[in-house]
DNA sequence: AGCTCTTCCTGAAAGC
DNA sequence: TGCTTTCAGGAAGAGC
């Protein structure tokens, strides 16, 4: 599940492989995750790739305008990997794995291929204006957000802190794994309300978010199910997960069993001792929190 | 307005 | 053993 470190790893790989190459043609499989599939084949062939950047979890492939195409707009390619998306460069004669839905033929006999089992990803073309709009819709990058900006976006909010970490308009780049890992390191329970955090805790959380993301980038991301980089190689950070995927196993700090509950609609892993749960506001007695509203299907 | 919940999709794993 | 159900989650949209 690609989050900021995985997307950064893919982008760095593509940045080594793609600039200078031109798109020759585009072939499509299923296209329900693409904004305007026909536009890919109309506006990309003949254009040279300049560079590849990351905007939160989005991949921005910047292309030069087509020399002869004054009349055609020259938008860039934006890709989001969703849950199971892969963007890989391969020799054109190498067989593609199942669920490969977009092939960008390059001018050197290779292909940039997009594979996505569940098609939660996104792909669209965007000119400057739309890219600016995308940046404005998102918060600051989680890796570089300042202490002041992070406080401003979080302090006083009535949402659970976990929900805010996952909200890309608060900070961009954090997903479920790194949210849980950061909260464990900051010793903050995922269900606590942001408004009830001390400023010191907010600052510590930002510090841990950035530490965790930095370490994960160094290890080329976490490979839980599907993630691979632009060469098809898995990352190594999953070995350093302290809570994610460790339900029932001992906490690395205090040996208490790691628990998993649903917070903000997401599986959330935490140590019940290191990350004390929020106390009920005016709850009399200890109303058990085993609500997991399990609805029966009719 | 501000949050939370549901939906999309497939394959793996659990359940009966 | 084999079929059915559940679950995973990024982000958009619905619902409260």
């Amino acid at each position: 599940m690609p989050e900021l470190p995985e997307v950064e790893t893919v982008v760095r790989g593509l940045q080594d492989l793609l600039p200078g190459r031109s798109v020759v043609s585009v072939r499509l499989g299923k296209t329900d995750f693409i904004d305007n599939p026909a536009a890919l084949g109309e506006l990309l062939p003949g254009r040279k790739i300049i560079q590849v950047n990351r905007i939160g979890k989005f991949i921005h492939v910047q292309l030069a305008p087509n020399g002869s195409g004054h009349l055609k707009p020259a938008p860039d390619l934006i890709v989001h990997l969703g849950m199971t998306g892969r963007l890989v460069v391969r020799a054109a004669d190498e067989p593609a794995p199942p669920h490969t839905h977009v092939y960008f033929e390059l001018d050197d006999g290779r292909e940039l291929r997009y594979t996505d089992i569940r098609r939660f990803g996104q792909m669209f073309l965007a000119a400057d204006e739309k890219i600016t709009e995308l940046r404005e819709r998102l918060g600051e990058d989680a890796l570089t957000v300042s202490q002041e900006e992070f406080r401003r976006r979080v302090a006083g909010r009535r949402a659970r802190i976990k929900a805010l970490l996952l909200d890309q308009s608060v900070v961009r780049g954090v997903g479920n794994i790194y949210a849980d890992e950061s909260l464990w390191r900051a010793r903050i329970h995922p269900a606590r309300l942001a408004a009830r955090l001390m400023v010191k805790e907010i600052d510590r959380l930002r510090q841990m978010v950035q530490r965790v993301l930095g370490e994960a980038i160094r290890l080329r991301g976490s490979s839980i199910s599907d993630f691979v980089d632009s060469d098809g190689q898995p990352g190594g950070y999953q070995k350093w997960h302290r809570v994610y995927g460790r339900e029932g196993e001992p906490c690395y700090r205090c040996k208490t069993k790691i628990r998993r509950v649903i917070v903000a609609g997401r599986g959330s892993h935490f140590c019940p001792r290191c990350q004390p749960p929020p106390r009920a506001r005016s709850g009399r007695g200890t109303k058990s929190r085993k609500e997991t509203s399990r609805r029966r299907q009719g």
Side-chain angles (χ1 to χ4, degrees):
Chain A
M1 27 222 75
E3 303 179 28
L4 187 152
E6 291 75 32
V7 177
E8 179 67 22
T9 300
V10 169
V11 164
R12 289 181 183 183
L14 295 176
Q15 178 64 23
D16 285 341
L17 297 167
L18 294 181
R21 299 274 59 82
S22 292
V23 176
V24 174
S25 67
V26 179
R27 280 189 350 267
L28 300 172
K30 290 187 182 177
T31 60
D32 55 357
F33 61 96
I34 305 175
D35 234 29
N36 181 356
L40 297 181
E42 288 164 13
L43 299 177
L44 294 181
R47 296 178 60 201
K48 183 182 277 191
I49 297 165
I50 300 171
Q51 60 174 347
V52 185
N53 295 305
R54 181 177 64 75
I55 305 176
K57 300 180 200 172
F58 290 86
I59 296 167
H60 174 196
V61 181
Q62 195 183 332
L63 301 107
N66 194 337
S68 61
H70 302 83
L71 301 177
K72 284 187 184 177
D76 292 340
L77 176 67
I78 307 286
V79 180
H80 193 298
L81 301 176
M83 288 289 304
T84 52
R86 299 177 173 196
L87 204 47
V88 171
V89 176
R90 283 286 133 94
D93 56 10
E94 194 175 313
H99 305 288
T100 301
H101 297 302
V102 187
Y103 304 75
F104 300 95
E105 183 193 352
L106 304 174
D107 60 355
D108 63 351
R110 292 184 300 172
E111 283 176 344
L112 172 63
R113 293 172 176 169
Y114 183 73
T115 307
D116 191 348
I117 295 173
R118 276 140 84 176
R119 305 201 302 285
F120 276 20
Q122 301 174 44
M123 188 176 292
F124 54 92
L125 296 179
D128 291 353
E129 196 179 328
K130 203 168 167 189
I131 291 170
T132 303
E133 189 186 302
L134 177 67
R135 285 183 192 280
E136 283 171 357
R137 201 175 78 213
L138 304 171
E140 292 291 313
D141 197 86
L143 200 57
T144 53
V145 63
S146 70
Q147 179 171 279
E148 293 69 29
E149 175 68 7
F150 190 70
R151 282 183 189 174
R152 201 172 69 74
R153 295 277 188 168
V154 168
R157 299 277 300 265
R158 284 181 291 263
R160 300 188 162 121
I161 187 60
K162 168 91 181 235
L164 292 180
L165 283 177
L166 295 178
D167 182 343
Q168 302 297 296
S169 69
V170 174
V171 284
R172 59 173 121 116
V174 178
N176 202 42
I177 295 174
Y178 297 105
D180 282 3
E181 292 298 317
S182 303
L183 286 166
W184 180 82
R185 282 167 173 78
R187 302 182 190 235
I188 297 170
H189 190 285
R192 288 183 58 195
L193 300 185
R196 296 176 71 83
L197 293 176
M198 293 179 295
V199 173
K200 206 166 78 179
E201 291 179 305
I202 296 174
D203 291 348
R204 194 165 72 219
L205 178 58
R206 166 185 164 273
Q207 190 184 345
M208 293 305 152
V209 165
Q210 297 187 341
R211 180 176 302 175
V212 165
L213 294 176
E215 286 172 4
I217 289 171
R218 271 200 305 115
L219 293 173
R220 307 176 61 77
S222 302
S223 291
I224 294 298
S225 56
D226 285 64
F227 172 70
V228 292
D229 67 17
S230 53
D231 287 323
Q233 297 301 306
Y237 191 69
Q238 63 281 4
K239 290 173 193 139
W240 293 89
H241 291 176
R242 289 300 184 244
V243 283
Y244 187 85
R246 297 193 64 246
E247 185 182 14
E249 292 174 44
C251 172
Y252 278 95
R253 278 194 299 250
C254 72
K255 310 253 192 299
T256 303
K257 282 188 177 177
I258 298 302
R259 289 203 47 201
R260 180 180 182 281
V261 297
I262 303 297
V263 177
R266 291 283 170 267
S268 299
H269 309 73
F270 66 100
C271 169
R273 184 161 161 192
C274 297
Q275 298 165 269
R279 279 187 299 169
R281 277 276 288 171
S282 55
R284 105 182 18 220
T286 2
K287 183 165 188 237
S288 88
R289 177 178 274 275
K290 60 171 181 190
E291 24 66 49
T292 336
S293 61
R294 195 174 294 269
R295 80 163 44 204
R296 206 163 290 207
Q297 171 123 351

